[in-house]
Amino acid sequence: MKDPIELASAALDSLSQSAPADAERLSQQAYRFAPDDPFVVHVYGAVMSARGSYGAALRAFRKLTQLEPDVAAHWMNLGTALRSSGSDQEALQAYQQAERRGQDDADFHYNVALLQQQLGDLQGMRNSLELAAIRAPIDAEIRCAHVQACFTQVDTEATALAVASWRQWQNWTPELLITTAGLLLQMGMQSDAEQIVAQLERLPARSTDMELRMIAMLERVNRVDEAATRLAKLGTVTSAAEATYRRWLAMSAQLASRRDDNLLAASLYEQLLTLPSEPADRQHHLFSFAKVLDALGSYDRAISVIAEAHQTQVEVLEKLMPLDEDREVMAITQYRCDVEDAAGWQEAAPPSADDSPIFIVAFPRSGTTLLEQMLDAHPGVFTIDEQPFLQKATLQFAELGFEYPSALADMRPDQLAAIRRHYWEMVATKVQLKPGQRLLDKNPLNMLRLPAIRRLFPNAKILLAIRHPCDVIVSNYFQHYRAPEFVMLCRELPNLALGYRKCFDFWYSQQAILKADVLEVRYESFVTDFDRQSRSIAEFLHLAWHDDMLSPAKHARAKGFISTPSYSQVIQPVNTKAVGRWRRYEQVLGEVVQQTQPYLRKWDYL
């Protein structure tokens, strides 16, 4: 008879050399001869777990906790076996026993995170993954999982920080690479994502699922023809795993929609929505399907589907974070300037207009992306779109002891300069401006930070984008946002209309006091008379005319990734297709029209 320890050691060697059948045979022999030896029992449990025999592994690890109850690793292994067998609460108790005995390494916290995910404790999962990442800072599997957890909870700042060191991570797999590339792209780090995709392109063979995920990235950076060609090469995916088949259907539907083949897209979405899927995936498909139905003229059904999409999205969000159902709509609009205080906002030598950002503000879906791309095509302008830099700079007022925005008159020039410096330092993390180049800061809801703009950059030029209120509200209702505040705002049309009105009530009341240098750009005039309107905007901004400004679609296609939801529309030639879209849904917009009456009259839309 061979020594059981030698047999167990040989089993471990076989397992490490990818010979699982030999490992199982040897470990079983060792276990028969020495069923109470801790090393033999441990090896047997490890091999059975690797082979997917969770019942046998569970019995082995439970025995180990009896043989050596003070060894933390045995309790951790028991917890993992229990988790794999679906005994979640017992697994949690076993992990707690391991923690009490000092288990604190990256592998432990990662396994706890997997259990917390199964239990629906997503904040706990994120916390455990953060601990695991601290203990294993270059492990690609752990770091990627941590980034995903931050991204899922819509914590943009934490996601960017967590993914920034991706080049130092090790032990990559193709699955981890493509997942990380997708996250990098979502964070606007297109060149980093493309580096990973180029690495994956060099693989001798890629799975169908991997190819579909790469096609999705091509579509997202507006390389639509290339994406369609590669999808066609795959043919009809029918023999793949169910998840891969769903991905193929979704990608086929998305590209059909991009080609304006909406009948095909609708048929594919119909098939996709009959298949079982996670609510987080289903919400995506519902939003996309509603837009296709809208394009087909199936307006009643589009409204029905978009309502289901919002309901599903809120249900998903409720599992990720607490939601305040009673929170006031656009509560930020209650923070307004004091007239007497604002009268004292003087500064001897504030930045000139040329040394200040150009701000594009609006209620979202008012044509700001088209306006941005037109200006970004000018060589003297560089854009940062949808970045929270002004928001973060605004927080500095309170940190310096000043109540924002009602008590800013007593700020010293050096304090204002410090906040400006903080703003430009944040900008520098994303943009390196060339000498003489002006920054374009496009973040629509910076309209609610007009006091901050006026106090920090009193000479800044501001473009306020205006569009028919009903078109704006319908467009937002059909839009799939991730930010929790906007998810809650957009889930119902009356809610949206109230938020819209409150934003413009705030804007005009504050502008009456602050008198910023503002040009109102009306969307309908902009797309109808694009040449003349663009020249007027350039003149207002004191920009020398540049003909490239008349080709924003070409500029957008060359840019690739565009972070805003309208990334697919902005690469189309300037057109008036979206003007008057609200008329299709006039029968459900009664309260919307009533809420927005003041601005329908003010802007002569009646």
Side-chain angles (χ1 to χ4, degrees), residues 27 77 113 124 143 187 197 314 316 320 341 369-370 483 516 543 558 571:
S27 68
N77 290 331
R143 294 305 303 269
M187 297 306 296
V197 170
V314 171
V316 170
L320 297 176
D341 182 79
T369 302
L370 175 60
L543 287 172
I571 66 166

Side-chain angles (χ1 to χ4, degrees), residues 390-508:
L390 183 64
Q391 177 185 355
K392 291 180 179 179
T394 302
L395 298 176
Q396 298 285 302
F397 290 114
E399 291 181 17
L400 290 172
F402 296 91
E403 185 175 338
Y404 174 84
S406 60
L408 304 181
D410 293 334
M411 295 193 74
R412 301 190 309 268
D414 63 305
Q415 292 172 320
L416 291 167
I419 300 178
R420 290 185 195 114
R421 188 162 53 250
H422 179 63
Y423 173 87
W424 288 114
E425 286 170 354
M426 288 187 288
V427 169
T429 65
K430 291 285 185 181
V431 174
Q432 296 300 318
L433 295 175
K434 299 175 183 176
Q437 200 169 39
R438 293 168 68 183
L439 177 73
L440 179 65
D441 187 338
K442 188 269 272 189
N443 193 326
L445 286 180
N446 276 344
M447 68 182 295
L448 303 180
R449 299 182 182 90
L450 179 61
I453 296 174
R454 193 71 175 87
R455 191 67 176 111
L456 292 173
F457 302 105
N459 294 311
K461 299 281 189 176
I462 304 174
L463 299 173
L464 173 67
I466 291 171
R467 183 183 176 193
H468 193 295
C470 295
D471 271 336
V472 172
I473 289 164
V474 168
S475 184
N476 275 283
Y477 188 55
F478 274 81
Q479 194 56 59
H480 188 190
Y481 291 107
R482 291 189 70 246
E485 297 83 359
F486 242 68
V487 171
M488 301 304 288
L489 177 71
C490 296
R491 62 179 175 162
E492 295 175 349
L493 286 166
N495 212 45
L496 253 171
L498 175 60
Y500 182 93
R501 197 199 72 215
K502 290 181 74 171
C503 284
F504 278 101
D505 286 351
F506 172 91
W507 170 268
Y508 282 112

Side-chain angles (χ1 to χ4, degrees), residues 13 35 59 74 89 119 139 215 223 263 308 314 333 389 399 423 484 501 546 604:
D13 290 340
R59 290 189 293 274
H74 296 339
Q89 290 301 325
L119 291 169
D139 184 285
I215 290 169
R223 291 161 63 179
L263 281 172
E308 183 185 352
V314 171
T333 58
F389 296 151
E399 291 181 17
Y423 173 87
R501 197 199 72 215
H546 199 279
D604 295 322

Side-chain angles (χ1 to χ4, degrees), residues 174-468:
E175 170 69 21
L176 291 172
L177 282 168
I178 192 64
T179 299
T180 301
L183 290 164
L184 287 166
L185 190 61
Q186 290 290 336
M187 297 306 296
M189 302 167 69
Q190 181 177 346
S191 60
D192 291 48
E194 288 176 342
Q195 288 179 37
I196 294 179
V197 170
Q199 182 178 343
L200 290 169
E201 295 279 20
R202 293 192 290 270
L203 292 177
R206 291 188 298 276
S207 68
T208 300
D209 194 71
M210 176 74 66
E211 180 67 8
L212 285 167
R213 293 174 73 177
M214 293 173 73
I215 290 169
M217 294 185 68
L218 290 171
E219 185 276 332
R220 185 59 185 83
V221 296
N222 284 317
R223 291 161 63 179
V224 178
D225 291 342
E226 186 177 349
T229 299
R230 289 176 65 157
L231 186 68
K233 286 182 180 179
L234 281 179
T236 302
V237 174
T238 56
S239 60
E242 188 174 290
T244 301
Y245 178 59
R246 289 197 300 266
R247 195 185 300 278
W248 175 80
L249 276 175
M251 197 68 255
S252 299
Q254 176 70 0
L255 286 174
S257 175
R258 293 295 300 267
R259 296 192 306 271
D260 291 328
D261 190 348
N262 290 303
L263 281 172
L264 175 59
S267 173
L268 291 167
Y269 280 123
E270 291 269 20
Q271 294 178 56
L272 185 58
L273 288 164
T274 63
L275 300 176
S277 62
E278 292 295 323
D281 294 325
R282 184 173 177 82
Q283 63 167 319
H284 286 279
H285 307 326
L286 287 166
F287 275 102
S288 298
F289 186 33
K291 291 181 181 179
V292 168
L293 291 169
D294 174 75
L296 286 171
S298 300
Y299 305 132
D300 290 343
R301 190 163 182 214
I303 280 289
S304 174
V305 170
I306 201 65
E308 183 185 352
H310 282 290
Q311 180 181 349
T312 305
Q313 186 180 29
V314 171
E315 289 171 358
V316 170
L317 198 61
E318 285 174 334
K319 295 179 181 179
L320 297 176
M321 62 191 71
L323 299 177
D324 185 358
E325 296 280 351
D326 299 323
R327 183 178 180 179
E328 182 185 349
V329 173
M330 286 292 176
I332 187 176
T333 58
Q334 66 184 293
Y335 298 101
R336 303 186 179 215
C337 293
D338 179 89
V339 175
E340 293 182 4
D341 182 79
W345 290 8
Q346 304 300 326
E347 190 177 2
S352 67
D354 287 346
D355 293 325
S356 302
I358 300 166
F359 292 97
I360 295 178
V361 301
F363 198 88
R365 308 298 296 166
S366 296
T368 56
T369 302
L370 175 60
L371 181 56
E372 172 200 20
Q373 293 303 311
M374 181 273 287
L375 288 168
D376 193 44
H378 192 290
V381 175
F382 200 104
T383 184
I384 52 166
D385 64 328
E386 310 289 342
Q387 294 294 330
F389 296 151
L390 183 64
Q391 177 185 355
K392 291 180 179 179
T394 302
L395 298 176
Q396 298 285 302
F397 290 114
E399 291 181 17
L400 290 172
F402 296 91
E403 185 175 338
Y404 174 84
S406 60
L408 304 181
D410 293 334
M411 295 193 74
R412 301 190 309 268
D414 63 305
Q415 292 172 320
L416 291 167
I419 300 178
R420 290 185 195 114
R421 188 162 53 250
H422 179 63
Y423 173 87
W424 288 114
E425 286 170 354
M426 288 187 288
V427 169
T429 65
K430 291 285 185 181
V431 174
Q432 296 300 318
L433 295 175
K434 299 175 183 176
Q437 200 169 39
R438 293 168 68 183
L439 177 73
L440 179 65
D441 187 338
K442 188 269 272 189
N443 193 326
L445 286 180
N446 276 344
M447 68 182 295
L448 303 180
R449 299 182 182 90
L450 179 61
I453 296 174
R454 193 71 175 87
R455 191 67 176 111
L456 292 173
F457 302 105
N459 294 311
K461 299 281 189 176
I462 304 174
L463 299 173
L464 173 67
I466 291 171
R467 183 183 176 193
H468 193 295

